[in-house]
Amino acid sequence: MKKTNIKKNKNIQTAVIKNKTNMNKYSLGFGLSLVVTNLLNAVILVVKEVSSSVMNVMKAALGHHWTTHAVMLLFIFVVLGAVFSIYEVGAKWDSRKLMYYISGSVIISIVIITVYFLPYLIVK
Amino acid sequence: MLNQGFMMSHVLFGVLGILCAVALFMDVLNASGKNYQRIKMLSLAVAVLIVISFLIGGYWYVTYYGAERDIIKAGAWPWAHNFFMEVKEHIFFAMLLLGIYLPIAVYKNIPLTNRKNKNLVLAICAMIILIGIFMEGAGGIISKGVTIGLRG
């Protein structure tokens, strides 16, 4: 009887460990922030290239549109990372899901940026 | 001369960052208690080197690149700026953010012997390496664009 109980407890413990998320709240929070910031990078690029008023505002803000773009992204990454970590957004996520989202966001942003500038490669 | 010095150190720190990412990739593949300290050091090194490369490259781009851009655009390879420089300067942000996130993923995502945790760090390293290789190639094309532009 005792042996059966010990075995049952061990099985329960193993199940709990297997189901438990492997991720620390900072690792997850800043990982999610990375996903959002990567996508925002492509969005900001397209918006500033399409809208000359946005481009002018970004140039005026820190002297160069690229500098403003960089500071905006770093600021958003840090703030969102802190917020997501504190509020433990996506607490049930595991490393695998985060890996897919990070890889996806990087691929999507690279494709948007490349496709946006592709006509300049073809047309002189 | 200062212009060239900034450019060369930007490339140097970028290449060192990529090499550390390659070393980290191999170490994480063989992660154990023995190499965990080295894994932590390498993840920090990647972040620091990429940030230094970003700061130097950013300063060079804002301060010196304007004149070179005009040479490239007047030459036979205007697309070296219009496509490669534009793509490079924006895709670099993905590499920068991945580099900054890397030590957070390593320090706060233990144990690395866990397959899922290991794959997350490996994926980040792989993306840094691939984007880094593109950065180096694009940089080469841009500098060739300047050379061709100067020839007239």
Side-chain angles (χ1 to χ4, degrees), chain B residues 42-59:
Chain B
L42 279 170
S43 71
L44 261 183
V46 172
V48 169
L49 289 166
I50 289 176
V51 169
I52 293 173
S53 179
F54 158 70
L55 292 173
I56 297 172
Y59 179 74

Side-chain angles (χ1 to χ4, degrees), chain B residues 1 3 22 30 41-42 58-59 61 65 67 78 91 93 106 119 129 141 143 146-147:
Chain B
M1 188 62 191
N3 178 353
V22 173
N30 303 295
M41 292 284 284
L42 279 170
Y59 179 74
Y61 175 68
Y65 182 65
I91 288 181
F93 291 135
V106 168
N119 285 344
I129 295 163
I141 290 168
S143 63
V146 178
T147 311

Side-chain angles (χ1 to χ4, degrees), chain A residues 85-106:
Chain A
S85 301
I86 291 165
Y87 292 101
E88 297 191 31
V89 177
K92 286 178 183 172
W93 282 38
D94 65 0
S95 309
R96 179 182 288 176
K97 193 173 179 182
L98 185 64
M99 181 191 77
Y100 287 136
Y101 271 76
I102 290 175
S103 308
S105 72
V106 169

Side-chain angles (χ1 to χ4, degrees), chain A residues 56-77:
Chain A
N56 289 335
V57 168
M58 287 179 76
K59 280 179 184 171
L62 291 171
H64 198 289
H65 68 91
W66 187 80
T67 315
T68 311
H69 193 148
V71 171
M72 275 171 72
L73 288 179
L74 289 171
F75 180 76
I76 292 166
F77 175 69

Side-chain angles (χ1 to χ4, degrees), chain B residues 1 4-5 16 24 33 43 45 49 53 55-56 58-59 84 91 93 107 117 121-122 124 127 130 149:
Chain B
M1 188 62 191
Q4 303 302 322
L16 286 175
L24 179 62
S43 71
L49 289 166
S53 179
L55 292 173
I56 297 172
Y59 179 74
F84 283 99
I91 288 181
F93 291 135
Y107 277 74
N117 292 350
V121 178
L122 286 175
I124 295 167
M127 285 186 279
L130 291 174

